[in-house]
Amino acid sequence: MAVLARRAFSRAPWDDKVGYCRVSRRGPHVWVTGTVAMDVAGGVYAAGNPEAQARRCFEIIGQALSDVGASLDDVVRMRMFVTSIDHWEAFGRAHGAVFREHPPATTMIEVSRFIGPEFMIEIEADAFVDEACEAA
């Protein structure tokens, strides 16, 4: 029996242009695509503020997970791509505020740039929903 994918979209213009969705779930496995700090109007959130940008990414990721029946508690793997590793402490504070009680395996990698020059961080998340716990 095939397991159907559940998807939720960002509603950004590139969803259709590049065949992109914010989150995809198959069974207990969930993948959240690279997420930058966008505000509700589609602009850059908190330009120049690394901690605020990271917190906004986690908000967006949390909503995406919720859209497919998962939560931040289900995250098992994070990848944080940053344009300046010098801000590691600010990014780390934001990460710790969300994941201190249930830390996922996490990587932070410095990259040269993102599609928008004011974005300082892009975050991917993988989650695993323990369906036995979900049914309880």
Side-chain angles (χ1 to χ4, degrees), residues 48 50-51 82-93 108 120:
E51 187 170 349
V82 302
T83 56
S84 175
I85 203 72
D86 293 339
H87 298 300
W88 73 268
E89 290 180 281
F91 298 133
R93 276 191 303 275
M108 186 183 299
M120 304 174 79

Side-chain angles (χ1 to χ4, degrees), residues 40-62:
V40 294
V44 177
Y45 181 87
N49 186 327
E51 187 170 349
Q53 284 203 5
R55 286 180 185 270
R56 178 65 180 140
C57 291
F58 294 129
E59 289 173 9
I60 295 167
I61 290 167

Side-chain angles (χ1 to χ4, degrees), residues 13-112:
W14 47 79
D15 283 0
D16 289 331
K17 287 182 183 178
V18 298
Y20 162 99
C21 69
R22 169 72 57 212
V23 60
S24 179
R25 177 176 178 176
R26 279 195 191 234
H29 301 279
V30 184
W31 301 272
V32 181
T33 194
T35 302
V36 294
M38 304 276 299
D39 63 23
V40 294
V44 177
Y45 181 87
N49 186 327
E51 187 170 349
Q53 284 203 5
R55 286 180 185 270
R56 178 65 180 140
C57 291
F58 294 129
E59 289 173 9
I60 295 167
I61 290 167
Q63 181 59 57
L65 290 165
S66 177
D67 289 346
V68 295
S71 75
L72 289 167
D73 291 346
D74 298 314
V75 172
V76 295
R77 179 84 168 102
M78 302 290 299
R79 288 169 211 84
M80 297 188 288
F81 302 93
V82 302
T83 56
S84 175
I85 203 72
D86 293 339
H87 298 300
W88 73 268
E89 290 180 281
F91 298 133
R93 276 191 303 275
H95 187 274
V98 175
F99 295 105
R100 192 163 327 283
E101 299 303 317
H102 48 92
T106 303
T107 301
M108 186 183 299
I109 303 164
E110 184 177 71
V111 297
S112 63

